[in-house]
Each structure stands twice: as C-alpha cells, then as structure tokens.
Amino acid sequence: MLQILKTVFLVMLIAACANGPELNYDYLLDRDYSLLKTYRWYDDVYSSKEAEYRSYNASDKRVRTYIDRELIAKGYRLLNEGKSDFLINYHISKQERYSNSQFNDYYDRGMHGAVSTGTMGTAVAVGYSSGNNEPRTYKEGTVVIDILATADNKIIWRGIAEGRLPKELSQAKRNHIANELAKEMLAEFPPK
C-alpha cells in the first residue's frame, strides 16, 4: 500500500511540473551568431504607436530588465545609441480560453476509489471527479521574443512561449514569471 501511495504522489508531482509553458524556437541557419556582440531595443530605434504605449506600461520595464539580465550574462552589451549588431523586440498577448472537457459524466463531484483482486494480484485505484459539464474559462498567455540582425533587418531568431496563466497574478508573481521566461527562452540563444 505504501508503494502505491508513493507512485500516486510521484505521478501527481510530475503532472504539476508539466504545466509550464510550451517553448518553441526558430532561427536562420545561414548566420554566424558568434559575430553578435551588441544589441539595442527595437522600440528605442524605431518609433511606433506600440513603442509609445510600451513606454508608459510597467510591463515594458519588467520585460526589459529580465531580458537584459540574461543577455548581459551571456556576454552581450546593451548600447544606448549608435548601431548595434542586433535588435530585440517582443510581443505579449493574453487571451481568454474556454474548456468544457470532462473525463466522464458518471460520477458526482468528489473522490472515488476501488480495490480489486484477481489471479495476478491486487490493485487500488483512486480518482477525482469534478462532477459537472459547465465550461471553464482560463487565460492563456503568449510571449514572443524576436532578434533582428541590423545588417539586413531580418528576424534571425525567434522564441515563443505559450501557456496557461495563474488565476492570481500579484506583482511578485509577475516578476517571477518574467524572470523564469527570460531564462528559459534565452537559454536557446544563440543557437548551437
């Protein structure tokens, strides 16, 4: 019985860790990424309505802080003026999603379990049923980080993170998420 409980706990722990963002990357193969040494923020070079909006948004400072931290740790240097080797741009979006998936309609809400014995041994099963078919809403976020070569203004690397957002997003939680995303996404830059 103790072994079964350990197994159930391990499965629950793995499932909890699997809820992180889905990360995807794309990049040009015909570039020598070792030549990239300096960078600037796209919004600081090219003015736009989006750049103007970002300058008044607290999220922009948060994004820049954590991305700068990761790039500087990798040996890149942020320039405040002049021409850099590459530009950084980002996009953040949030959408409300609906889900009405239900494992089954047979049980009422609550814990359910069963024990069975047979010629091959004994088995124990434990499960939980939410007991309703009402649609559930949740928020899903997407972060895109683009790296553009200043030599030809082409996107040479893109990282995308998508995932379900927590219901409560305190200031501390926002900072934690931004920090972790910057680390995870830029771990694959430059491509090897």
Side-chain angles (χ1 to χ4, degrees), residues 21-39:
E22 180 182 323
L23 300 170
N24 292 295
Y25 304 96
D26 196 11
Y27 55 90
L28 295 180
L29 296 171
D30 65 347
R31 300 300 167 121
D32 184 356
Y33 291 88
S34 67
L35 299 175
L36 302 176
K37 305 291 182 204
T38 60
Y39 73 96

Side-chain angles (χ1 to χ4, degrees), residues 99 103 138:
S99 171
F103 290 108
Y138 62 94

